[in-house]
Amino acid sequence: MAKPKVVTFNSASLDGRVAASRDRLLLWGDERWQAMGESEEAYRWLRSLHQPQASLEGSGSLVRDEDEPAPLPPVEGDASHLYEDYLPESVTGRPGHRGWFTCVDGRGRVRNWIKDGAFFGEEWQGWHSLILVCRATPAPYLAYLRREAIPYLVAGDERVDLALALEKLGSSLGVTTLLSTAGSRMNGALLRAGLVDEVNVELLPGVVGGMDTPSLFDSPALGPEENPARLELMSALVQSGGQVWLRYRTVS
C-alpha cells in the first residue's frame, strides 16, 4: 500500500512563529497566542475535505525539552518482544473506531496519555492514541504503553523512520490520509524527507519575535547540494479576522 497522503496545517504569526515562546506548549493553551485571533475555520475545513484517519504530533507538542519524564519500572528479562508492533485487538477492533491520534515519541518522554478521543468531545469520539517509536526507544517505556493498552508501531533504529512509520500506518491500519498539526521540527523533518503532499499555513495578524521562538518548519540547514522544498500555490484566502490562509501542494 502506498504511503498515506500527508497534509500539514499550522497557525503562525506574520513572522512565522508557531508559539509565543519556547517554554509554552500551545496544546495546553496560551492566552498571548489566542490574542492574535487564531481561528479553527481552516482546520475544520481541511478535516472535512480530506477526512483523515490519523493526526500527527511530535512529542515536543506535549512536553518541553527541559521536562524530565517520570521514571518507569525497569524491564526484567528478555525485552525483545517489546520491539514488535503492538496493535491489541481490544483497541484496533473496537466498535466505532474513526481515527488515530498519532505521536512520534522515539525517546519515550510522554506520560499520562489521553487515550480516548471522547475526552475532547463528540467531534473526536472513536479516536485513540497510537505512538510511533523505534528500536532505540527505552524498553520500560514500551512496557508502559503495553500496560496502558496504547498501540504503537516500531519504525527505525536510532530514531523514528518517518517514511517507514507512514508505510506501516497504511499497510497495518489502512490509513490513507494523515493531517499533521505537529510542531516546527516534526513538520520540518517531514518536509525535508519529501513526505508532505500539501502544506497549509494560517498567518495570524500579529508579530511575536524572539531569536529562539519556534518557527515554521525548523530543520537542519540545507546542504551544499540540497534545494529548498518547492511549493505551488493552490489558494489564498483572507479571513474576516485578518488571518490569511495559504494552501500549497508540494512540487517534486
Side-chain angles (χ1 to χ4, degrees), residues 163-210:
L164 178 57
L166 288 172
E167 180 185 317
K168 285 193 169 189
L169 282 169
S171 60
S172 298
L173 296 170
V175 173
T176 59
T177 304
L178 178 145
L179 178 57
S180 174
T181 55
S184 52
R185 284 178 291 185
M186 180 55 58
N187 278 349
L190 287 168
L191 197 64
R192 184 61 59 82
L195 299 172
V196 176
D197 299 285
E198 180 178 320
V199 173
N200 292 268
V201 177
E202 181 186 45
L203 290 175
L204 305 179
V207 175
V208 172

Side-chain angles (χ1 to χ4, degrees), residues 102-212:
T102 309
C103 183
V104 176
D105 192 14
R107 291 183 288 168
R109 303 181 64 230
V110 182
R111 308 285 188 269
N112 301 319
W113 287 103
I114 298 171
K115 295 184 283 187
D116 193 332
F119 176 89
F120 300 104
E122 185 177 350
E123 181 181 5
W124 295 103
Q125 189 83 33
W127 285 65
H128 197 283
S129 292
L130 182 145
I131 318 305
L132 303 177
V133 299
C134 63
R135 298 198 64 80
T137 302
Y141 183 67
L142 301 180
Y144 153 72
L145 294 178
R146 289 184 178 235
R147 287 194 301 273
E148 294 293 322
I150 300 174
Y152 61 80
L153 295 172
V154 182
D157 294 321
E158 295 302 315
R159 63 187 62 188
V160 174
D161 182 326
L162 295 173
L164 178 57
L166 288 172
E167 180 185 317
K168 285 193 169 189
L169 282 169
S171 60
S172 298
L173 296 170
V175 173
T176 59
T177 304
L178 178 145
L179 178 57
S180 174
T181 55
S184 52
R185 284 178 291 185
M186 180 55 58
N187 278 349
L190 287 168
L191 197 64
R192 184 61 59 82
L195 299 172
V196 176
D197 299 285
E198 180 178 320
V199 173
N200 292 268
V201 177
E202 181 186 45
L203 290 175
L204 305 179
V207 175
V208 172
M211 296 298 292
D212 65 345

Side-chain angles (χ1 to χ4, degrees), residues 15-32:
D15 54 339
R17 304 305 197 262
V18 294
S21 60
R22 186 167 291 280
D23 63 341
R24 295 291 291 271
L25 300 171
L26 283 182
L27 283 183
W28 308 128
D30 188 330
E31 64 281 356
R32 298 172 300 171

